[in-house]
Amino acid sequence: MSDAPRGPAPDGERTLDDDAVVAIADELAEADRSRTPVPLLTARHDGMTVADAYAVQRTWRDRGVARGRRVVGHKIGLTSKAMQAATGITEPDYGVIFDDMVLESGSVVEHAAFSNVRVEVELAFVLAEPLAGPGITVTDVLRATDRVVPALEILDARVEMPGRTIVDTISDNAAMGAMVLGGRPVRPDDVDLRWVSALLYRNETIEETGVAAGVLGHPAQGVAWLANKLAAHGDSLAAGETILSGSFTRPTWVHPGDTVHADYGTLGAVTCRFA
């Protein structure tokens, strides 16, 4: 595996004015409150670009911060072939994690608080040092990481699912709903992170299996991609942030009453129940 940074794809030019961006962010905020996904953004805003989508996401994020929510990390999406095949989208994206999105293993999760609810198996990197691109490599990520923690991501869709493009997904904060942390945290040099594997159970049935190398060859590569992508947006990763590095399984649909259990072998397990 090469340690060379993987450069982020260009975002294109903005095509939407600030008023349109604010209107979309408000629409997504209302969809979040009402639990009613909105129609595809790309079907209603011809020519909308990735640059427009990240502008929408930043506006949505800033509205949350203004209401008292605190950004505690970022998520990276669509980093594995499994996820790209499941969504039909072929490049990664990212979103923000607010403090009220963080849950502990064993939590009872209100299913009705999310839309189109699915779960994924991931590793979360907790940073001891900041990471500022460009040029961040896997070695830089491992050096800056305090610990790596098994995690489940709960996906939430505020934009309707059929026909979604990466522009719709980015605008929707990369479908971030919540994350559940648990298992046995490890130092990044304690294990070969590429070979961390997991069995994802739903109601005692194995639904998915995966190995962390499915995330761009090494889960830390996802974090490196994120740091370099944020640099292109004039941003960086701060010490103390928790980074969901990307799923190495396909998303599994869950319903009220389901129990989800991710078995990471020697790294323990993460569990939650949907009510």
Side-chain angles (χ1 to χ4, degrees):
M1 180 203 67
S2 172
D3 187 46
R6 302 191 179 189
D11 291 348
E13 299 295 326
R14 284 273 305 271
T15 64
L16 300 179
D17 61 27
D18 290 344
D19 288 344
V21 166
V22 168
I24 294 171
D26 287 343
E27 187 179 6
L28 291 171
E30 177 56 31
D32 196 35
R33 284 189 292 270
S34 68
R35 316 312 316 154
T36 305
V38 302
L40 289 175
L41 303 176
T42 47
R44 296 179 289 132
H45 299 276
D46 188 41
M48 189 176 178
T49 65
V50 168
D52 293 321
Y54 278 120
V56 169
Q57 185 189 119
R58 286 191 294 272
T59 301
W60 180 86
R61 175 200 66 192
D62 292 346
R63 295 285 177 82
V65 170
R67 295 198 308 271
R69 303 177 86 182
R70 183 168 56 91
V71 175
V72 297
H74 287 78
K75 69 150 287 184
I76 309 155
L78 307 174
T79 52
S80 69
K81 292 295 185 183
M83 280 303 300
Q84 291 176 359
T87 61
I89 297 171
T90 58
E91 61 179 308
D93 62 2
Y94 72 81
V96 299
I97 301 173
F98 286 120
D99 54 337
D100 57 6
M101 295 175 170
V102 183
L103 305 173
E104 294 184 358
S105 184
S107 292
V108 177
V109 182
E110 184 184 356
H111 189 276
F114 306 98
S115 300
N116 295 296
V117 190
R118 294 145 291 149
V119 296
E120 297 174 347
V121 169
E122 311 206 13
L123 291 175
F125 286 67
V126 181
L127 299 182
E129 302 172 11
L131 283 172
I136 294 297
T137 68
V138 166
T139 300
D140 297 323
V141 172
L142 297 177
R143 186 182 300 118
T145 298
D146 176 66
R147 60 194 182 277
V148 180
V149 186
L152 289 169
E153 181 181 357
I154 300 172
L155 296 176
D156 186 13
R158 291 154 288 256
V159 178
E160 65 182 15
M161 298 277 293
R164 281 166 69 111
T165 71
I166 194 167
V167 169
D168 297 289
T169 304
I170 291 168
S171 302
D172 191 18
N173 196 37
M176 177 67 192
M179 68 175 173
V180 185
L181 300 175
R184 181 172 71 88
V186 293
R187 296 281 300 161
D189 55 357
D190 283 350
V191 297
D192 186 344
L193 294 173
R194 298 173 305 160
W195 286 101
V196 172
S197 60
L199 310 174
L200 180 62
Y201 292 80
R202 181 171 64 91
N203 302 332
E204 302 181 357
T205 299
I206 295 177
E207 299 285 350
E208 290 287 337
T209 64
V211 178
V215 177
L216 298 175
H218 193 298
Q221 189 71 264
V223 183
W225 174 89
L226 174 62
N228 294 325
K229 186 71 172 182
L230 285 172
H233 295 161
D235 204 351
S236 62
L237 296 172
E241 283 201 47
T242 299
I243 313 300
L244 280 175
S245 59
S247 178
F248 46 96
T249 64
R250 294 175 299 181
T252 295
W253 287 87
V254 292
H255 308 283
D258 285 346
T259 295
V260 174
H261 177 85
D263 181 352
Y264 285 79
T266 59
L267 267 63
V270 186
T271 300
C272 65
R273 181 172 64 84
F274 289 86

